[in-house]
Amino acid sequence: MQRRDWRQYIPLLIVLAAGAALLVFLADRTLQADPYDWLQSAKTLYRTGDTGFQHRNILYAYFLVIPLFLHLDVRTFGLILSGISLLLSAALIYRINLEYTSPRSAGFISLLFVLSYPFLRYATQVFSDIPTVLFTVAMVYCHFRFTKHRRPLDLWLGYLMASLAVSLRYASGFFFLAYLYFVWDTRRYVKWHLVGVALAVIPYVPQLIYNVRYMGSPLAISYTSAHPIFGLSFFFKDMGSGHEWQLPGYIRYMFLDFRGLFLPLTPIAALGLVRSFRVIGRPMATYLVLFLVSFIVLLPFYAFFSNRYAIPAIIPCFIWLPLGIQAIGEWLRRRPVGWLLAFGVALALLAYGLFEISFQTIQSSRALHELRDRVFTRLDGYLRPGDVVYTLESVASAVTRDAPAQIEVPKADKVTPDMLAAYADRNVYVAFTPDLVTSEGGSWRLAIDEVRDRLTLLYTDEPQGVSELLLYRVLHWLHRDGVIPYEKWYVYRVVR
């Protein structure tokens, strides 16, 4: 890729500055279930040299060991890692698009990338998802570079980036159909490919050690020790929430939902897809189509529906979008100038819409996470060894994180008099919210109606510190407050 005047990177610098400001303002320092488990594995690794058993990929735990060795705050390190990963991903998207469109257009697409809800949300948390996205985008970038320049370093780095992505999250590996096509298209460089395969083993070494020690096979997956993770039956109904027909859910999430590309951008990306075969060439255009299609086809066979698994899938759309915008702009230039102006205003409103939705919803999510932390931290002050707590299973681990030893948290979707009678000689507490908000848009419930006369209220709590902009004010005005993420928690003690 040819050298460019530094001024062509001014739009990118503006996007990175805006993104960094958002990351700081929206940072969520709470630890949800997955990051908490990784941190425990990291602490065990730091103390003993072993991770202990872990359902998830083990590489992220190794990342979290770094601040432990350096005596740094782990949460701050994790947030910086996630934030930098988002900004570097946006920079790589900009660099790819700069080959085929103007700096202004490339900057606008990188801005949409930063503002897109799934990317910005997990970049403001201690999660492995956005570092995974970074390595996936870097893989695509290396493949574009190799297709253009045929330099072995780009090919080798592509293997390394792909291995890092898969080692952080197995589901990110659904791009493998596109990768196989890339290997076939560049098959004349077989010796370079063999070196790349050898390099790809390096990021997998921690997982290899773990698998041999705990799973008895170098290619094992921890999840399979509890349940299968891939099968035709999950296409029709997943193992978690019982979500029916996962394929429509993923398609809706990726293309028609505010958490993905936002509905009006989908046809523009589709136009860019068609145009890509002429502008960027058939090999890489086909590669991007296979990248997206392989995710769409394979994700529904995964055991659980989760919008997090679909995050890397829409990466090609941010390469198609500027091509679609460029095609529309060329067509509008042959029309009255007002049409082009209206299109520019529409794009600006779309960007602001993505900002508003991401800003408001991420703030609300953070407020809910902080709320749950407060509720269970305060509950810990009441608990003594042997006590029992009924709460929603999805947040049950929060009760036992720092609580006194031997706290029992029975699994249940409702509390009955018979259940209380079984613990008549022990202190029993109920941590309850009418509806637990989930990132997939559903809710989980714990029914307590049968035992309300046995409960005495200890305290309640609700979200705090959400700055409301135009979106939330309009929702209040329309009396649509129900779509705003909200929980109110009640903590009861059972009267003996």
Side-chain angles (χ1 to χ4, degrees):
M1 296 182 180
Q2 53 187 297
R3 295 186 63 178
R4 295 178 178 272
D5 188 325
W6 69 270
R7 287 172 294 186
Q8 299 200 41
Y9 291 94
I10 291 177
L12 174 62
L13 295 176
I14 294 172
V15 169
L16 295 182
L22 279 175
L23 289 167
V24 171
F25 189 84
L26 296 174
D28 183 349
R29 294 183 58 83
T30 63
L31 290 179
Q32 305 310 299
D34 288 11
Y36 181 80
D37 290 346
W38 274 310
L39 179 56
Q40 298 313 302
S41 297
K43 289 179 177 178
T44 304
L45 181 62
Y46 175 69
R47 291 193 304 264
T48 68
D50 186 16
T51 59
F53 183 78
Q54 167 68 272
H55 273 299
R56 300 163 184 86
N57 300 52
I58 209 66
L59 185 60
Y60 192 61
Y62 279 76
F63 284 9
L64 294 184
V65 168
I66 296 172
L68 295 178
F69 271 109
L70 298 176
H71 304 290
L72 301 174
D73 181 75
V74 176
R75 300 187 192 207
T76 301
F77 175 88
L79 287 171
I80 292 174
L81 177 62
S82 294
I84 289 177
S85 296
L86 177 69
L87 298 180
L88 288 178
S89 299
L92 290 174
I93 291 288
Y94 182 88
R95 192 66 184 85
I96 293 172
N97 289 333
L98 200 56
E99 288 293 310
Y100 311 106
T101 188
S102 68
R104 185 181 302 175
S105 179
F108 178 72
I109 298 307
S110 290
L111 178 64
L112 295 184
F113 182 89
V114 169
L115 296 179
S116 186
Y117 176 79
F119 297 99
L120 186 58
R121 182 190 180 195
Y122 289 104
T124 54
Q125 298 185 43
V126 183
F127 258 102
S128 69
D129 294 82
I130 305 306
T132 300
V133 167
L134 168 61
F135 294 126
T136 306
V137 172
M139 176 199 74
V140 174
Y141 174 71
C142 289
H143 288 171
F144 268 87
R145 284 183 61 87
F146 184 78
T147 299
K148 184 176 180 67
H149 298 293
R150 304 293 175 171
R151 290 195 292 250
L153 181 61
D154 295 323
L155 185 72
W156 299 337
L157 286 176
Y159 274 98
L160 198 61
M161 296 301 106
S163 180
L164 282 164
V166 176
S167 295
L168 283 174
R169 175 170 291 286
Y170 287 127
S172 68
F174 288 152
F175 56 63
F176 78 90
L177 292 179
Y179 209 117
L180 289 176
Y181 171 80
F182 172 79
V183 171
W184 179 84
D185 186 60
T186 57
R187 59 193 179 278
R188 60 180 291 193
Y189 304 99
V190 61
K191 293 182 180 179
W192 294 355
H193 280 292
L194 292 175
V195 174
V197 171
L199 289 172
V201 174
I202 296 174
Y204 187 70
V205 168
Q207 192 71 47
L208 180 66
I209 296 171
Y210 171 87
N211 284 351
V212 171
R213 178 170 293 178
Y214 285 95
M215 305 303 297
S217 170
L219 298 178
I221 298 176
S222 296
Y223 279 115
T224 59
S225 64
H227 51 69
I229 63 164
F230 205 65
L232 179 61
S233 62
F234 306 133
F235 182 91
F236 302 100
K237 190 172 185 179
D238 77 348
M239 288 185 63
S241 62
H243 189 99
E244 305 268 353
W245 288 91
Q246 293 199 68
L247 178 60
Y250 277 117
I251 291 176
R252 178 194 62 80
Y253 170 71
M254 285 189 273
F255 304 117
L256 305 178
D257 200 298
F258 68 83
R259 287 170 290 192
L261 281 176
F262 207 57
L263 177 59
L265 290 176
T266 300
I268 300 177
L271 176 61
L273 184 162
V274 175
R275 186 181 174 91
S276 68
F277 283 86
R278 178 167 59 87
V279 176
I280 70 176
R282 183 170 296 276
M284 289 310 294
T286 303
Y287 168 90
L288 293 175
V289 171
L290 286 173
F291 188 106
L292 177 62
V293 169
S294 60
F295 269 94
I296 291 175
V297 171
L298 294 173
L299 276 173
F301 293 93
Y302 215 53
F304 295 96
F305 175 88
S306 174
N307 50 35
R308 289 167 55 203
Y309 301 154
I311 291 175
I314 59 176
I315 289 171
C317 297
F318 291 94
I319 301 173
W320 293 326
L321 274 172
L323 301 178
I325 291 174
Q326 189 177 58
I328 295 172
E330 291 172 358
W331 182 79
L332 290 176
R333 286 188 183 92
R334 299 191 295 269
R335 302 294 186 275
V337 67
W339 290 43
L340 189 60
L341 180 61
F343 183 58
V345 171
L347 290 178
L349 290 175
L350 276 171
Y352 180 78
L354 283 177
F355 160 72
E356 268 261 27
I357 290 168
S358 297
F359 182 84
Q360 299 282 215
T361 314
I362 291 170
Q363 274 201 106
S364 296
S365 297
R366 180 180 64 185
L368 293 181
H369 299 159
E370 293 172 346
L371 164 65
R372 295 169 193 169
D373 271 9
R374 289 197 306 273
V375 167
F376 291 110
T377 298
R378 187 173 176 185
L379 177 58
D380 287 344
Y382 289 90
L383 297 176
R384 298 293 179 268
D387 288 352
V388 176
V389 178
Y390 284 106
T391 191
L392 290 155
E393 183 180 349
S394 61
V395 296
S397 62
V399 183
T400 55
R401 286 182 187 178
D402 302 309
Q406 300 175 351
I407 299 297
E408 187 171 347
V409 185
K411 295 181 179 180
D413 56 9
K414 68 176 182 177
V415 184
T416 66
D418 290 340
M419 294 164 68
L420 298 185
Y423 298 106
D425 58 338
R426 296 160 69 174
N427 293 321
V428 180
Y429 298 86
V430 176
F432 167 79
T433 182
D435 289 296
L436 183 80
V437 177
T438 69
S439 60
E440 277 75 23
S443 62
W444 295 342
R445 295 176 176 84
L446 176 70
I448 62 172
D449 292 339
E450 296 181 38
V451 297
R452 281 191 181 275
D453 60 335
R454 297 278 308 276
L455 304 179
T456 181
L457 182 65
L458 293 179
Y459 58 88
T460 65
D461 206 343
E462 54 191 313
Q464 300 174 6
V466 177
S467 301
E468 295 191 352
L469 303 181
L470 180 63
L471 173 65
Y472 276 15
R473 293 180 185 277
V474 169
L475 289 173
H476 288 310
W477 180 67
L478 295 175
H479 303 290
R480 296 296 304 276
D481 308 63
V483 303
I484 298 176
Y486 176 83
E487 295 172 3
K488 185 171 183 179
W489 280 82
Y490 303 82
V491 177
Y492 302 95
R493 178 187 285 124
V494 176
V495 178
R496 295 182 181 180

